[in-house]
Amino acid sequence: MSIVDLGTPAVPGERTVDVVVDGIPVRVAPGTSVLRAAAEAGVAVPKLCATDSLDAFGSCRLCLVEIDGRPGTPASCTTPCTPGMSVRTQTPKVEKLRRGVMELYISDHPLDCLTCPANGDCELQDMAGVVGLRDVRYGLDGANHLDAPTDDSNPYFSFDASKCIACSRCVRACGETQGTFALTIEGRGFASKVSASAGEPFMSSECVSCGACVQACPTSTLQEKSVIDLGVPTRSVKTTCAYCGVGCSFIAELRGDQLVRMVPDKDGGANAGHSCVKGRFAWGYATHRDRQLEPMVRESTDDEWRTVTWDEAIAYAAERLQRIQREHGVGAIGGITSSRCTNEEVYVVQKMIRAAFGNNNVDTCARVCHSPTGYGLKQTFGTSAGTQDFESVAHSDVVLLIGANPTDGHPVFASRLKRRLRQGAQLVVVDPRRIDLVRSPHVEAAHHLQLQPGTNVAVVNALAHVVVTEGLVDRAFVAERCEDDSFAQWESFIARPENSPEALEAVTGVPADELRAAARLYAAGGSSAIYYGLGVTEHSQGSTMVMGMANLAMATGNIGRPGVGVNPLRGQNNVQGSCDMGSFPHELPGYRHVSDASVRGIFEAVWGRAIDPEPGLRIPNMLDAAIAGRYLGMFVQGEDIAQSDPNVQHVHAALASLELLVVQDLFLNETAKFAHVFLPGTSFLEKDGTFTNAERRINRVRPVMPPRSGKHEWEAACELATAMGYPMSYDHASQIMDEIAATTPTFAGVSFERLDAHGSVQWPCNDAAPDGTPIMHVDAFVRGKGHFVETPYVPTDERTNRKFPLILTTGRILSQYNVGAQTRRTENIRWHSEDVVEVHPHDAETRGIATGQAVTITSRVGETVLRAKVTDRVPQGVVYTTFHFPGSGANVVTTEYSDWATNCPEYKVTAVELAPTSRAPVTDAEKHAEHRPVAGRA
Ligand code: SF4
Ligand code: SF4
Ligand code: SF4
Ligand code: FES
């Protein structure tokens, strides 16, 4: 499939340089290459080593041109346009030279075009035709590379060295686009060859399998195995990745009805043509044999599932939900929306709960990740979302990265960040663990504040203390943009000696002088941006920390322009959207409180139902009420709370107490073990709707195939609502978005039509901002004046002691995604087949633990067994694990402590002890075989 390639990257700036290419005038920005100017004039100059996603390299000599008044035949890809330049691209001289160059390439290339997997999708083949190569005078008898071996070690792509033309596009893609620098061209001249790390197979090299090199390769040397197996695609559909909150745009390429490959969209606002291993390659779960495609019911969780029709399943669920309400009251049922589903699907489920169930018992999985972001940013800035677009980081001089590990969690944003750091921006990492960005090829953090888990607020207060007491406050910004009173109050609070880096050093573990240096850099280093992740929010003071960061940004004037801001790196693909869509028990869509009669009135007029003015139950309250016998029916949309929520023993006990649990999902997940009705869900390849990413960007999700279950998820929710006596129906998902736009001011200008025309828009999108809002709070905060909030540091109640002397903190790994339901069903399993616990060498030695050894991790609430990895990435006293496998049950040990404002669980701080064990970690197969609910602590 051909995607227009203009040869070299666009050069920013005004178009002021006039040139003429083959008699065609064209105006370009200064610095634009002749190759690109020609392409913009509609003149295709042959090329091989150049592509518009990479800086020009000038090695293939195919793009030669003649320029009036200049000697020779310069390479057009490396020659910048100058005013008045007249270029000739098709002279007999350059045509002859190009044929000569091409002849040399082809003379050392397999002549198997007709059977090559890239036949019809190969730039070398195309260029041979373009330059008019008829025959090759040199035989294949001399020295050549035709026997060069193929490296098939990567599960998703192969490297057939016999086809390599040493153009270096892959090497540059790995460096410039991805920022991993795993590839080099080894040797010189005829001996030069592409090498991964130190001549290793791709799979054991530093390669992170992002696929940028595969996309850049002009031949079939680096080739997707799916293309080799299925053939070159013939049609395409634009859609959006359904993994993380970066929200990369993709072109799904198909051959007939078969998805062949996912190609990152160069026009994608979030990713600009890049992706990670998950979005590009790990989509096979959508057709995995484990997909449950038919509805099922059962009376009791002891019974076998019974496959039924959709109508039977809906009627079964509706009848039982209504019976529970008759016997136990309107508030005895509720539901959970999913951050993996589309905005439209989420909106319909919360509408079903508010209008058909008649209560506000709706919550979302954002409860367990970014609810403090919503709360904290709303209090200080007036809106529950990050302030910037991703592109903004290209303008940052200093980046303060707190509790986030972008190279694993948000890889495409990490690549953007690394690019900016290579250009000279400074990085401060605040994290207990030495994440990759602290030091990786061409990147080194100026400061790594390796704090004790649970002391974020102490660190942010100490940073702000330095700003206030060292005269680094941006007084003009504060006077113009922020509240006088709250600032004055905060200033005197933060200036207190107990907030100084020296006073807090013993608590945080961060040396005071290092912290002071980091504060000065952030405050005085130019445009400074804060990016943060779940290492901020999943704490008992998560909301306090979000407000602490907002205070810091406001005090230093780092809000409201490119390169600055406070930016949450959202976990799931649509966690922003699910919150926007009214998934919280106290908020209708657009973050408007249910107690506000005028807001209720808007929805009541459209929905034709009275809305309860009282907030409903949050997830933890639902679980407690279930155990207390007051909450008996629940609808769970695409969320595996039996695995992902803290203290799973408690969650299991609550789920086992329900009279009716309806689960809608792709797979029979851990939660479905407690369910009575299973409704099959749709994968992102079947969905039609929108996702909203971490930068508030609303992206279209377009169906690549019809719903494999026969029904869109929003249709199922409509039918359940209708069966419960509240008629609800839409002809198409676009109608749901129209209803969202009609009821929600920040979405007023959003429609599928506009999204199809613009590609994507960032909310607010309305009459005031018809093209959306890339950067918020530019002239004024959404709430008017910025509000400072005092943020006293309060240590968590979860403390270490002699019995539990270590702190366990959790995170993600690149190849896996959350509870792993999708990625574990792909070849990504090859990179990470079990969760391991990282332990510092000192802590390992005192406990007799070696790498690879099974250890018990015991906390106050539970125990699990994992294999250990001894590493100094974690400081002494801290252990770390991921949570991607049900078998490892990392959440068996996490406690129920939570953020004071939002109940977001304190996943990041659990006091534990480790001990070697002869028990083996529980495998997923063993875990899956457990049919009976686990009796647990109530
Ligand atoms: S897949 Fe990505 S990381 Fe691996 S070599 Fe290619 S560009 Fe580099
Ligand atoms: S592998 Fe492909 S991109 Fe890399 S040097 Fe060879 S032909 Fe060029
Ligand atoms: S960075 Fe996130 S959105 Fe982009 S491809 Fe990877 S998982 Fe998908
Ligand atoms: S495309 Fe210009 S030298 Fe290769």
Side-chain angles (χ1 to χ4, degrees):
M1 312 233 21
S2 71
I3 297 167
V4 177
D5 184 340
L6 298 175
T8 59
V11 178
E14 236 182 288
R15 290 172 179 259
T16 54
V17 177
D18 287 303
V19 296
V20 175
V21 182
D22 292 345
I24 303 166
V26 58
R27 182 171 292 175
V28 295
T32 301
S33 72
V34 168
L35 181 67
R36 189 177 175 101
E40 289 187 10
V43 175
V45 178
K47 62 180 181 55
L48 274 174
C49 69
T51 181
D52 59 9
S53 57
L54 301 170
D55 290 341
F57 190 58
S59 69
C60 76
R61 312 304 292 169
L62 205 64
C63 68
L64 308 179
V65 292
E66 291 194 73
I67 298 174
D68 289 354
R70 289 202 195 179
T73 50
S76 60
C77 63
T78 49
T79 305
C81 291
T82 53
M85 185 182 258
S86 179
V87 181
R88 283 173 299 130
T89 72
Q90 310 294 339
T91 65
K93 188 173 174 186
V94 294
E95 284 175 351
K96 184 163 178 240
L97 285 168
R98 286 177 195 151
R99 274 197 297 279
V101 167
M102 185 53 80
E103 195 176 359
L104 285 172
Y105 277 124
I106 298 297
S107 68
D108 188 12
H109 195 85
L111 297 175
D112 62 350
C113 286
L114 288 181
T115 53
C116 175
N119 185 20
D121 187 27
C122 169
E123 291 181 43
L124 186 68
Q125 187 184 35
D126 291 347
M127 290 305 130
V130 166
V131 304
L133 188 69
R134 298 274 176 270
D135 52 21
V136 177
R137 286 166 293 166
Y138 324 110
L140 295 173
D141 310 336
N144 60 47
H145 298 88
L146 301 182
D147 292 333
T150 296
D151 173 0
D152 263 328
S153 59
N154 187 289
Y156 295 120
F157 59 84
S158 71
F159 174 74
D160 178 353
S162 72
K163 292 182 170 152
C164 181
I165 58 170
C167 67
S168 169
R169 272 163 66 161
C170 54
V171 177
R172 288 176 282 143
C174 192
E176 289 175 33
T177 309
Q178 164 57 23
T180 292
F181 297 90
L183 301 180
T184 48
I185 297 269
E186 208 181 83
R188 284 176 173 272
F190 178 79
S192 58
K193 61 174 190 180
V194 172
S195 165
S197 296
E200 292 166 57
F202 272 78
M203 198 56 186
S204 48
S205 74
E206 286 147 339
C207 166
V208 294
S209 211
C210 71
C213 56
V214 182
Q215 190 172 344
C217 182
T219 67
S220 183
T221 311
L222 282 158
Q223 184 74 66
E224 296 92 345
K225 288 185 175 173
S226 56
V227 174
I228 296 173
D229 291 344
L230 302 169
V232 173
T234 52
R235 67 186 183 94
S236 63
V237 179
K238 278 197 185 193
T239 191
T240 303
C241 177
Y243 279 117
C244 85
V246 176
C248 296
S249 298
F250 277 91
I251 300 171
E253 295 189 343
L254 298 99
R255 187 174 178 89
D257 290 338
Q258 185 123 38
L259 181 58
V260 176
R261 68 178 164 197
M262 297 286 280
V263 179
D265 185 3
K266 282 204 286 197
D267 297 329
N271 57 321
H274 191 37
S275 76
C276 78
V277 60
K278 294 189 285 288
R280 191 190 296 259
F281 294 122
W283 36 266
Y285 70 87
T287 50
H288 194 277
R289 63 182 181 280
D290 287 353
R291 278 281 299 271
Q292 174 59 41
L293 298 171
E294 289 167 308
M296 299 190 299
V297 300
R298 58 182 173 182
E299 276 300 321
S300 141
T301 51
D302 290 330
D303 297 340
E304 291 293 312
W305 282 109
R306 198 158 50 85
T307 302
V308 293
T309 64
W310 272 102
D311 286 350
E312 280 174 272
I314 298 283
Y316 187 97
E319 193 274 320
R320 278 157 182 78
L321 288 168
Q322 285 179 311
R323 190 169 70 202
I324 291 169
Q325 286 194 305
R326 276 196 308 275
E327 291 172 4
H328 302 276
V330 170
I333 64 173
I336 298 175
T337 67
S338 171
S339 295
R340 296 210 291 267
C341 290
T342 63
N343 287 317
E344 294 72 16
E345 289 164 339
V346 170
Y347 177 87
V348 164
V349 167
Q350 64 86 34
K351 177 176 172 179
M352 170 184 79
I353 290 167
R354 296 188 203 279
F357 292 11
N359 62 46
N360 291 311
N361 290 340
V362 56
D363 206 355
T364 179
C365 40
R367 171 73 53 215
V368 300
C369 64
H370 265 290
S371 50
T373 290
Y375 179 87
L377 296 184
K378 178 118 191 209
Q379 296 297 310
T380 47
F381 299 161
T383 194
S384 299
T387 61
Q388 312 295 117
D389 58 0
F390 289 139
E391 200 278 330
S392 165
V393 79
H395 307 276
S396 297
D397 300 308
V398 178
V399 171
L400 181 54
L401 183 68
I402 310 178
N405 183 9
T407 50
D408 281 280
H410 302 86
V412 166
F413 172 73
S415 293
R416 278 189 193 254
L417 171 59
K418 284 194 279 189
R419 176 180 296 208
R420 183 62 188 153
L421 297 173
R422 291 197 303 275
Q423 291 167 345
Q426 306 264 1
L427 176 67
V428 177
V429 173
V430 181
D431 203 299
R433 190 164 168 264
R434 197 182 66 237
I435 60 170
D436 283 348
L437 283 169
V438 171
R439 182 175 299 152
S440 56
H442 304 282
V443 167
E444 176 143 21
H447 304 285
H448 177 201
L449 310 186
Q450 201 165 14
L451 77 175
Q452 184 68 9
T455 64
N456 283 332
V457 172
V459 167
V460 84
N461 283 350
L463 291 168
H465 178 91
V466 176
V467 169
V468 164
T469 56
E470 294 193 8
L472 297 170
V473 171
D474 184 339
R475 297 276 164 193
F477 181 90
V478 172
E480 189 195 332
R481 300 284 308 273
C482 305
E483 294 172 347
D484 294 337
D485 292 358
S486 67
F487 174 72
Q489 220 172 321
W490 173 79
E491 186 181 29
S492 68
F493 155 77
I494 211 77
R496 286 186 213 149
E498 73 250 30
N499 287 323
S500 72
E502 291 73 17
L504 290 166
E505 185 174 317
V507 171
T508 63
V510 178
D513 53 350
E514 178 108 35
L515 193 143
R516 279 189 182 275
R520 290 173 196 138
L521 180 63
Y522 174 80
S527 290
S528 296
I530 297 173
Y531 289 87
Y532 69 95
L534 302 181
V536 157
T537 53
E538 289 178 348
H539 286 278
S540 60
Q541 281 202 291
S543 292
T544 315
M545 180 60 185
V546 173
M547 294 188 289
M549 296 184 303
N551 291 336
L552 187 63
M554 288 190 289
T556 53
N558 279 309
I559 287 288
R561 62 178 196 280
V564 299
V566 180
N567 304 288
L569 294 171
R570 300 280 189 162
Q572 308 212 61
N573 54 321
N574 199 33
V575 66
Q576 178 70 55
S578 72
C579 297
D580 300 342
M581 291 300 108
S583 289
F584 289 126
H586 64 295
E587 281 172 342
L588 286 156
Y591 303 99
R592 290 165 295 164
H593 207 280
V594 289
S595 63
D596 185 331
S598 63
V599 174
R600 282 202 315 280
I602 295 169
F603 289 95
E604 286 169 345
V606 176
W607 294 354
R609 275 283 163 111
I611 296 170
D612 186 348
E614 289 297 320
L617 299 175
R618 297 172 172 185
I619 292 172
N621 309 129
M622 291 180 197
L623 299 175
D624 290 346
I627 287 169
R630 297 191 307 275
Y631 181 81
L632 295 127
M634 177 142 80
F635 181 98
V636 177
Q637 177 190 35
E639 161 81 348
D640 196 2
I641 60 170
Q643 192 187 171
S644 62
D645 280 40
N647 191 356
V648 291
Q649 296 89 327
H650 179 69
V651 178
H652 289 188
L655 294 175
S657 307
L658 295 170
E659 275 183 21
L660 183 79
L661 175 62
V662 183
V663 165
Q664 184 160 32
D665 210 295
L666 301 181
F667 305 105
L668 278 167
N669 58 17
E670 295 299 301
T671 306
K673 287 181 183 165
F674 300 88
H676 309 89
V677 178
F678 183 87
L679 303 178
T682 51
S683 76
F684 79 112
L685 295 174
E686 297 142 66
K687 291 185 189 297
D688 193 354
T690 57
F691 293 149
T692 307
N693 76 354
E695 36 163 19
R696 295 168 282 103
R697 186 183 300 280
I698 307 162
N699 277 311
R700 279 282 277 125
V701 186
R702 295 184 181 85
V704 166
M705 57 181 84
R708 296 185 67 213
S709 65
K711 214 176 270 300
H712 282 294
E713 291 191 25
W714 56 264
E715 289 176 306
C718 285
E719 287 173 16
L720 181 55
T722 304
M724 291 182 72
Y726 175 70
M728 187 157 88
S729 71
Y730 301 91
D731 294 335
H732 186 262
S734 63
Q735 283 182 353
I736 305 172
M737 179 52 84
D738 292 343
E739 185 173 311
I740 295 164
T743 50
T744 309
T746 40
F747 277 67
V750 183
S751 64
F752 279 24
E753 210 178 1
R754 174 164 270 156
L755 292 170
D756 290 343
H758 286 244
S760 62
V761 291
Q762 289 170 266
W763 66 256
C765 173
N766 45 33
D767 285 346
D771 294 332
T773 311
I775 296 178
M776 295 196 80
H777 318 297
V778 172
D779 298 316
F781 285 99
V782 167
R783 70 182 302 283
K785 295 265 183 179
H787 177 63
F788 282 84
V789 179
E790 288 184 40
T791 55
Y793 165 64
V794 180
T796 170
D797 286 336
E798 176 72 357
R799 305 278 167 84
T800 54
N801 58 19
R802 279 178 52 200
K803 198 164 168 210
F804 303 109
L806 303 169
I807 289 287
L808 169 72
T809 188
T810 58
R812 292 180 189 191
I813 200 154
L814 170 68
S815 56
Q816 294 293 334
Y817 176 71
N818 276 12
V819 293
Q822 293 132 298
T823 42
R824 281 186 284 111
R825 292 183 170 95
T826 69
E827 291 287 337
N828 278 27
I829 203 84
R830 299 255 308 263
W831 282 277
H832 184 75
S833 56
E834 63 178 325
D835 291 320
V836 296
V837 58
E838 292 184 359
V839 52
H840 187 272
H842 176 84
D843 295 325
E845 195 186 332
T846 54
R847 290 167 178 77
I849 295 170
T851 291
Q853 181 161 14
V855 294
T856 52
I857 308 176
T858 314
S859 75
R860 290 183 177 91
V861 303
E863 179 183 286
T864 191
V865 176
L866 295 178
R867 279 185 212 289
K869 179 177 177 186
V870 179
T871 169
D872 63 1
R873 267 184 175 239
V874 286
Q876 206 176 318
V878 175
V879 294
Y880 168 89
T881 187
T882 48
F883 52 90
H884 301 304
F885 291 81
S888 58
N891 285 337
V892 170
V893 299
T894 50
T895 69
E896 283 176 286
Y897 290 122
S898 63
D899 174 45
W900 61 272
T902 66
N903 279 146
C904 181
E906 189 168 50
Y907 285 126
K908 301 296 181 185
V909 186
T910 307
V912 296
E913 177 59 303
L914 262 55
T917 178
S918 55
R919 283 157 57 197
V922 179
T923 65
D924 285 336
E926 287 163 352
K927 180 79 184 171
H928 209 66
E930 284 172 18
H931 281 299
R932 299 204 46 87
V934 183
R937 197 185 76 139

